[in-house]
Amino acid sequence: MTDLASPLGRLRWTFADGLTLVGRELGRLRQEPGQIIAALVFPVIMVVLFGYVFGSAIQVPDGGDYRAYLMPGLFAMVTFSAWLGVMTRMASDASRGVMDRFRSMPMARLAVPFGQTGADLLTGLLMLAIMVGAGLLVGWQPHRGLIPTAQAFLLMIVLRYALSWVGVYVGLAVKNDQVADAMVPLGLPFTMLSNAFVPTDGMPGWLRFLADWNPVSALTTASRELFGNPGAPSGDVAWPLAHPATAVLLWSAALLAIFVPLSLRAYMRRGR
């Protein structure tokens, strides 16, 4: 008990319990094979649908293969989906009384949101790995070497973790899992309103402004530059597209600074 009285002791306790809950979330995936199958099939469907069906009608700026242009956008799309999955799981646990049972156990209360975000990070890595394999099969590849490629995927991981905290807060804020499920389609406009699938040059001015300042666009642009894929912006562009890696890090820091304390406060209040 003396160790738990110190801040370092409480941190260790929270971390240990958080790892336990990460294992619980991964174990739940094993018990629900449908989610694993969907995670395996979804990236392949996206590559085939956008790369071959839509790609034949879309011209890449300055030429180049559309699938090479597309893959960084699909990576960004998978990254952005983090908050949706965490949101539905948090709302489901809250509405079914799972969190109440956790509170009755001798465990660190804050381990629950940390466990959810940690588990999402691992499942996100799996989805990225599958999408990388699908991309390689259709001809996509990075061209700038190992270090820039690793930097691109590191940006995806950082932003995904930040977005997962958005999902924690929204999942705790909604009344039940039915409301959370109804909100899932709202994630599609955020990914579509970006440069992930088409250039923003042809959009109306106000719409292009929203697309250029969308974090999905910043992540997509940074990935294209680091992979050496076509579609890197040129000329007079918005600041996030001129400095995409910096923009991704700033977006991630802002999301963490806002939603980590909001999520922890919402979780603590839910137990009162």
Side-chain angles (χ1 to χ4, degrees), residues 12-24 107-108 110-116 118-119:
R12 289 174 178 171
W13 184 33
T14 301
F15 182 73
D17 288 345
L19 287 179
T20 301
L21 290 177
V22 168
R24 175 224 176 213
M107 61 181 296
L110 300 184
V112 174
F114 280 107
Q116 286 281 2

Side-chain angles (χ1 to χ4, degrees), residues 182-252:
M183 292 180 64
V184 170
L186 297 178
L188 183 62
F190 287 101
T191 55
M192 299 300 293
L193 185 58
S194 68
N195 63 1
F197 305 104
V198 296
T200 61
D201 299 346
M203 298 181 182
W206 65 271
L207 193 62
R208 181 180 179 181
F209 174 83
L210 295 177
D212 288 347
W213 283 84
N214 187 339
V216 176
S217 293
L219 180 60
T220 301
T221 302
S223 300
R224 284 174 180 151
E225 291 183 356
L226 291 168
F227 291 144
N229 294 151
S234 59
D236 186 16
V237 296
W239 186 89
L241 303 187
H243 309 85
T246 303
V248 171
L249 294 176
L250 289 176
W251 271 112
S252 301

Side-chain angles (χ1 to χ4, degrees), residues 104-226:
S104 67
M105 300 171 63
M107 61 181 296
R109 288 192 172 189
L110 300 184
V112 174
F114 280 107
Q116 286 281 2
T117 54
D120 177 78
L121 196 60
L122 294 178
T123 56
L125 288 173
L126 174 62
M127 292 186 69
L128 276 177
I130 296 169
M131 185 159 281
V132 167
L136 292 173
L137 288 176
V138 299
W140 167 84
Q141 59 180 323
H143 299 285
R144 293 190 57 194
L146 179 61
I147 293 179
T149 299
Q151 290 173 337
F153 286 115
L154 182 61
L155 287 175
M156 297 176 200
I157 292 169
V158 170
L159 183 58
R160 183 180 183 95
Y161 186 71
L163 286 166
S164 68
W165 281 97
V166 179
V168 171
Y169 176 72
V170 178
L172 290 171
V174 298
K175 293 183 178 180
N176 51 55
D177 52 343
Q178 287 81 14
V179 176
D181 290 338
M183 292 180 64
V184 170
L186 297 178
L188 183 62
F190 287 101
T191 55
M192 299 300 293
L193 185 58
S194 68
N195 63 1
F197 305 104
V198 296
T200 61
D201 299 346
M203 298 181 182
W206 65 271
L207 193 62
R208 181 180 179 181
F209 174 83
L210 295 177
D212 288 347
W213 283 84
N214 187 339
V216 176
S217 293
L219 180 60
T220 301
T221 302
S223 300
R224 284 174 180 151
E225 291 183 356
L226 291 168

